């Protein structure tokens, strides 16, 4: 049934999974040659959550989604579409359908979307297209990643950065359109800067038959290049999304960036002349949780009562691909 509620888009619920295991900087300094001082000064990170033995992506994603569905005043059976932004599925064929089953969202169609740390923003914008065309009314967008599975725990340049997590929002059809503007970008020429690549091993099955039979290799990153990319491209893409929304930077109530590095948050805020009290940061507790970082941070500030209905949020993700994007929306 088409267009019962108008084809505007509202973000009406959020949630996040509660991981109990954590790894703090002192613990990491026993694993690689690093220190709490180096990590905290260079990144702002003090600890990160790590999936426990029995945790899997689908259950953490479903926990976050259920919280968001409850906040929106809906039940899983009301959900039309589930988009799971992840680069670390339990199953390479996709984990969204497992999340659908776990939630009991029997009538929802579900699929994965891979855009690394930009995945959540890309998924929000994708969800909005289905709502704006009147096809779906109630959509769950999840960002979930367990990067600990693919981290090289002997590489101090990367292993101190990442954490595991899952966060979600509900996006609903509404009379008023509260997704005010967006802009998405990709540059595959910079792909080498941040990778989790498949390495093939050609294997002979018989005299005249051979197949690729490799595996994925741990994350590699050129930190300095990604840093430079982020502080240049993120302000640009936010300004473009603001332009599309007909807004200026001083209309932003909350700057909600992918939580990669406190120094990146500070630099972007400075370039946009946004005061630090309007910048959402939970990096100290979570590290970089890839696609999960934006919805987890949103959930924390909403549940803390800081974000009020009608507040304007500028969300921006950036990372592997390379990909980057921004979405400007009003909460509630
Ligand atoms: O989510 C995807 C997006 N990812 C990002 O946004 C990451 C962007 N990049 C960054 O956040 C930063 O580049 C890092 C935090 C990764 C690194 O910070 P940096 O200030 O760029 O450090 P660096 O790579 O220039 O390294 C400085 C020094 C080096 O030593 P030398 O060569 O100067 O002697 C590194 O070997 O720090 C050393 N180093 C460390 N020392 C202690 C690198 N990692 C560590 C460590 N502990 N964990």
């Amino acid at each position: 049934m088409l267009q019962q509620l108008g084809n505007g888009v509202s973000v009406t619920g959020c949630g996040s999974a509660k991981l109990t295991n954590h790894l703090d900087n002192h613990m990491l300094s026993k694993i690689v040659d690093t220190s709490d001082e180096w990590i905290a000064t260079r990144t702002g990170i003090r600890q990160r959550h790590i999936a426990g033995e029995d945790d899997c992506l689908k259950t953490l994603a479903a926990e976050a989604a259920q919280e968001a569905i409850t906040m929106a005043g809906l039940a899983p059976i009301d959900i039309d579409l589930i988009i799971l932004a992840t680069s670390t599925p339990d199953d390479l064929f996709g984990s969204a359908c497992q999340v659908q089953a776990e939630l009991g969202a029997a009538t929802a169609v579900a699929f994965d979307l891979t855009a690394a740390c930009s995945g959540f923003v890309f998924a929000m914008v994708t969800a909005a297209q289905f709502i704006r065309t009147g096809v779906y009314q109630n959509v769950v967008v999840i960002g979930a990643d367990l990067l600990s599975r693919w981290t090289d725990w002997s590489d101090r340049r990367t292993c101190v950065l990442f954490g595991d997590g899952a966060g979600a929002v509900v996006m609903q059809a509404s009379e008023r359109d509260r997704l005010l503007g967006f802009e998405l970008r990709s540059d595959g020429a910079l792909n080498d800067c941040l990778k989790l690549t498949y390495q093939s091993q050609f294997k002979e099955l018989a005299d005249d038959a051979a197949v690729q039979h490799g595996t994925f290799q741990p994350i590699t990153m050129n930190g300095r290049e990604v840093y430079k990319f982020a502080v240049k491209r993120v302000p640009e893409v936010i300004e473009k999304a603001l332009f599309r929304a007909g807004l200026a930077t001083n209309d932003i109530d909350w700057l909600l960036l992918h939580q990669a590095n406190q120094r990146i948050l500070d630099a972007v805020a400075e370039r946009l002349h946004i005061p630090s009290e309007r910048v959402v940061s939970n990096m100290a507790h979570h590290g970089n949780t890839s696609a999960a970082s934006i919805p987890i941070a949103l959930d924390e500030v909403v549940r803390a009562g800081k974000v009020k209905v009608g507040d304007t949020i500028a969300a921006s993700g950036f990372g592997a691909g390379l990909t980057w994007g921004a979405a400007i929306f009003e909460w509630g």
Side-chain angles (χ1 to χ4, degrees):
M1 202 178 300
L2 298 182
Q3 283 176 240
Q4 285 180 320
L5 301 167
N7 45 15
V9 178
S10 292
V11 184
T12 56
C14 56
S16 59
K18 311 293 173 262
L19 281 83
T20 47
N21 283 3
H22 80 281
L23 191 59
D24 67 27
N25 293 350
H26 295 290
M27 293 154 88
L28 263 175
S29 68
K30 295 179 191 152
I31 300 167
V32 287
D33 180 16
T34 191
S35 64
D36 176 54
E37 200 268 333
W38 192 96
I39 303 169
T41 314
R42 298 282 180 136
T43 71
I45 300 167
R46 293 277 181 190
Q47 67 155 48
R48 65 290 291 142
H49 293 278
I50 299 291
E53 196 174 353
D54 298 327
D55 288 327
C56 54
L57 189 98
K58 86 170 173 197
T59 47
L60 295 169
E63 184 186 333
Q66 183 57 65
E67 275 197 359
I69 292 167
T70 303
M71 186 188 281
L74 298 174
I77 201 66
D78 299 320
I79 303 303
D80 306 310
L81 169 67
I82 298 168
I83 305 179
L84 172 62
T86 188
S87 307
T88 55
D90 296 327
D91 182 333
L92 267 187
F93 286 144
S95 288
C97 296
Q98 297 170 307
V99 175
Q100 179 232 25
E102 186 86 9
L103 283 170
T107 52
V109 63
F111 61 85
D112 290 31
L113 181 152
T114 305
C117 304
S118 310
F120 182 76
V121 170
F122 278 43
M124 276 187 92
V125 171
T126 303
Q129 309 316 307
F130 285 103
I131 295 173
R132 284 182 172 164
T133 50
V135 177
Y136 297 130
Q137 265 86 52
N138 299 319
V139 182
V140 171
V141 175
I142 307 165
D145 266 313
L146 305 183
L147 285 185
S148 65
R149 291 173 168 176
W150 296 106
T151 298
D152 178 350
W153 290 103
S154 65
D155 178 8
R156 69 176 184 174
R157 292 165 304 158
T158 51
C159 77
V160 301
L161 305 174
F162 302 119
D164 297 336
V169 295
V170 167
M171 295 171 65
Q172 290 190 267
S174 58
E175 286 297 335
R176 232 186 100 221
D177 198 355
R178 295 180 176 85
L179 176 62
L180 307 171
F182 69 83
E183 180 76 9
L184 306 180
R185 304 298 300 269
S186 304
D187 187 354
L190 298 174
N191 184 254
D192 272 353
C193 291
L194 182 48
K195 293 204 294 192
L196 199 177
T197 45
Y198 177 78
Q199 189 168 314
S200 107
Q201 262 191 323
F202 214 52
K203 187 175 162 191
E204 279 195 9
L205 299 177
D207 285 346
D208 54 355
V211 290
Q212 286 195 10
H213 215 259
T215 181
F216 286 91
Q217 300 300 304
I219 298 164
T220 57
M221 181 173 74
N222 181 335
R224 284 184 197 181
E225 285 306 313
V226 177
Y227 187 95
K228 282 193 277 180
F229 145 80
V231 298
K232 185 168 182 340
R233 298 296 176 203
V234 172
E236 278 174 12
V237 84
I238 291 173
E239 279 177 336
K240 195 71 184 266
L242 281 169
F243 174 77
R244 295 196 190 288
L247 297 175
T249 48
N250 59 11
D251 294 313
I252 297 173
D253 293 305
W254 300 100
L255 183 64
L256 178 62
L257 301 185
H258 166 49
Q259 305 283 299
N261 185 326
Q262 185 63 43
R263 285 157 53 213
I264 294 177
L265 267 59
D266 295 343
V268 172
E270 195 181 317
R271 285 191 187 198
L272 295 173
H273 306 294
I274 295 175
S276 58
E277 59 273 18
R278 287 201 262 143
V279 181
V280 180
S281 172
N282 66 2
M283 199 135 27
H285 307 292
H286 294 276
N288 175 346
T289 57
S290 189
S293 84
I294 291 174
I296 292 174
L298 176 67
D299 188 47
E300 289 185 359
V301 283
V302 167
R303 285 178 198 273
K306 293 182 184 169
V307 171
K308 308 274 188 277
V309 171
D311 278 1
T312 300
I313 298 173
S316 178
F318 53 91
L322 295 182
T323 53
W324 64 108
I328 315 292
F329 62 95
E330 268 181 30
W331 170 252

